[in-house]
Amino acid sequence: MITHRDTIHNDQKDYACDECEKKFEFRSHLSGHQISEHKSRKNFAADFRFDNKQKLLCHIKAVHTQCEKKRGQKSKLIRHQKTIHESCKDFTCDYCGKKLGKKSDLLGHHRTAHEGRKDYACDKCEKKFKDKRYLLNHQKSVHEDRKDYPCDHCEEKFGDQSNLNKHQKTVHEGRKDYPCDHCEKKFGDRSNLNKHQKTVHEGRKDYACDKCEKKFGERATLMQHQKTIHEGRKDYACDMCEKKCGEKSTMIFPQKTVHEGRKDYPCDKCEKKFGLKSNLLLHQKTVHEGRKDYVCDKCEKKFGQKSQLLIHQKLVHESYK
């Protein structure tokens, strides 16, 4: 409100050019003026230093990239300049402290993040989404099988740019920017961190199978369980043998390890090698760190793997029934 009153009604101009006497309402206008009018300032960007690449890219987009956006009302133009080019975030969430540029974004954040609403349902499957864009991307990539964004580092293709960016960041750059504050695990994106915390540390399993007593932490895992266990579907066939699997990830493992004999993950504490990174991590955790995170709730026995705990419970405790 104060910025609007000062700039529109009081004609306040706080950004002065140091090359001439011109003044501007916004820093972005001043920057554009200096670049277009005082072309001798070729090292203008060199005056600035940034903590990380993301801030540098935001700066380049805001200051040095010409914007062709047009607005029918001056108020909408000013809001666009404030939120996009000046990165102003004047609306703070009173639940988590997150800051957003528009009130509509704040309301959307409340609706999806804190109320858990997913108002956009796919008419071809049971999936629901919190944003219409995610629904459209899902329909395009899953149901229309369109994947228009190929990775230039491997053969993977994606239905939208954001998933391609996430893939390149986590797989090819190996970045894991989201650490868990309850354990040492790190994740490539926030959604996987949230799933981990919910299922592992909170022990939540909100998705129950209506055909058996099993419960799952994620809807996708429940649907996969129903498809492979109760419907008996095995949609992924190995092209080197007659083996069929219910999941693509399960299919990739025997192809790489059995048929190609690859073990790409060596242990740095012994001479063992593994075909899957998850098996390497499990080996290091149980053998070299001696961790036994799975405790039997019927006796005091501890196990390094969940499968070992389940076998123990079945053989020891269920055999007495």
Side-chain angles (χ1 to χ4, degrees):
M1 182 64 187
I2 294 171
T3 305
H4 166 78
R5 188 171 59 236
D6 289 341
T7 56
I8 303 301
H9 300 295
N10 296 345
D11 198 29
Q12 185 171 321
K13 296 181 178 181
D14 294 334
Y15 301 98
C17 177
D18 57 0
E19 296 282 324
C20 64
E21 296 180 357
K22 275 209 152 196
K23 292 184 178 181
F24 299 88
E25 294 174 1
F26 302 100
R27 188 189 296 277
S28 58
H29 291 180
L30 167 61
S31 301
H33 160 80
Q34 288 175 324
I35 293 166
S36 60
E37 297 299 324
H38 307 295
K39 292 181 181 177
S40 58
R41 294 195 64 180
K42 292 179 181 177
N43 295 322
F44 180 71
D47 297 333
F48 297 91
R49 294 289 182 272
F50 300 91
D51 295 334
N52 55 54
K53 188 177 180 181
Q54 188 61 35
K55 289 182 181 178
L56 170 62
L57 293 174
C58 287
H59 165 78
I60 292 170
K61 180 184 173 184
V63 176
H64 302 292
T65 304
Q66 289 293 324
C67 177
E68 296 179 358
K69 284 269 185 183
K70 293 182 180 180
R71 293 289 183 266
Q73 298 175 18
K74 189 173 182 179
S75 59
K76 290 183 178 179
L77 171 63
I78 291 169
R79 185 172 64 189
H80 165 80
Q81 289 168 328
K82 260 183 71 180
T83 56
I84 303 300
H85 298 294
E86 298 184 13
S87 300
C88 289
K89 294 183 178 181
D90 298 334
F91 298 92
T92 306
C93 176
D94 49 9
Y95 292 106
C96 65
K98 186 168 184 173
K99 294 185 177 182
L100 300 112
K102 294 186 285 185
K103 188 174 183 179
S104 59
D105 291 342
L106 174 63
L107 295 174
H109 165 75
H110 277 169
R111 191 175 66 241
T112 57
H114 300 296
E115 296 174 24
R117 282 172 56 181
K118 293 184 177 181
D119 297 338
Y120 299 94
C122 179
D123 57 359
K124 294 179 176 66
C125 67
E126 296 179 359
K127 288 208 93 170
K128 293 182 179 180
F129 300 88
K130 62 184 180 181
D131 193 294
K132 191 175 182 179
R133 291 171 300 168
Y134 299 150
L135 168 62
L136 295 174
N137 284 335
H138 160 78
Q139 290 176 328
K140 186 180 77 172
S141 58
V142 175
H143 299 297
E144 298 174 23
D145 201 30
R146 282 177 53 191
K147 295 185 177 181
D148 301 332
Y149 299 88
C151 177
D152 53 6
H153 299 291
C154 66
E155 296 179 358
E156 285 276 350
K157 292 181 180 181
F158 299 88
D160 61 85
Q161 183 72 48
S162 61
N163 283 336
L164 170 61
N165 293 341
K166 187 188 295 183
H167 161 80
Q168 290 176 329
K169 185 180 79 172
T170 56
V171 175
H172 298 296
E173 297 176 25
R175 284 174 55 185
K176 292 186 177 182
D177 298 336
Y178 300 93
C180 177
D181 52 6
H182 299 292
C183 67
E184 296 178 357
K185 287 206 91 170
K186 293 181 179 181
F187 298 86
D189 62 83
R190 188 180 296 278
S191 61
N192 285 340
L193 168 62
N194 292 337
K195 287 175 188 174
H196 162 79
Q197 290 177 328
K198 189 178 78 170
T199 56
V200 175
H201 298 295
E202 297 174 25
R204 283 173 56 184
K205 293 185 177 181
D206 299 336
Y207 302 96
C209 180
D210 56 1
K211 295 177 175 67
C212 67
E213 295 180 356
K214 289 207 98 174
K215 293 182 179 180
F216 301 88
E218 299 174 42
R219 184 189 293 275
T221 314
L222 166 62
M223 293 177 74
Q224 187 66 41
H225 159 80
Q226 290 176 328
K227 188 177 80 172
T228 55
I229 303 300
H230 298 296
E231 296 174 24
R233 283 173 56 184
K234 294 184 177 182
D235 298 336
Y236 300 94
C238 178
D239 54 6
M240 298 176 187
C241 67
E242 296 179 358
K243 192 173 175 68
K244 291 184 178 181
C245 299
E247 298 179 57
K248 188 177 181 180
S249 58
T250 312
M251 187 73 269
I252 292 169
F253 171 64
Q255 285 179 330
K256 193 172 78 168
T257 56
V258 176
H259 298 298
E260 298 174 25
R262 284 170 55 184
K263 291 187 177 182
D264 298 334
Y265 300 96
C267 178
D268 58 358
K269 296 179 174 67
C270 68
E271 295 180 358
K272 282 208 129 189
K273 293 182 179 181
F274 299 88
L276 286 177
K277 190 175 181 179
S278 57
N279 288 344
L280 167 63
L281 296 175
L282 180 63
H283 162 78
Q284 290 176 327
K285 187 178 78 171
T286 56
V287 175
H288 297 296
E289 297 173 24
R291 283 173 56 183
K292 294 184 177 181
D293 298 337
Y294 298 94
V295 184
C296 180
D297 57 358
K298 295 178 174 63
C299 65
E300 295 182 357
K301 246 189 161 341
K302 294 180 180 181
F303 300 88
Q305 300 179 42
K306 190 176 182 179
S307 58
Q308 294 171 336
L309 168 62
L310 294 174
I311 291 168
H312 160 79
Q313 289 176 328
K314 187 175 179 181
L315 293 176
V316 176
H317 298 296
E318 291 181 20
S319 61
Y320 292 120
K321 291 181 180 179

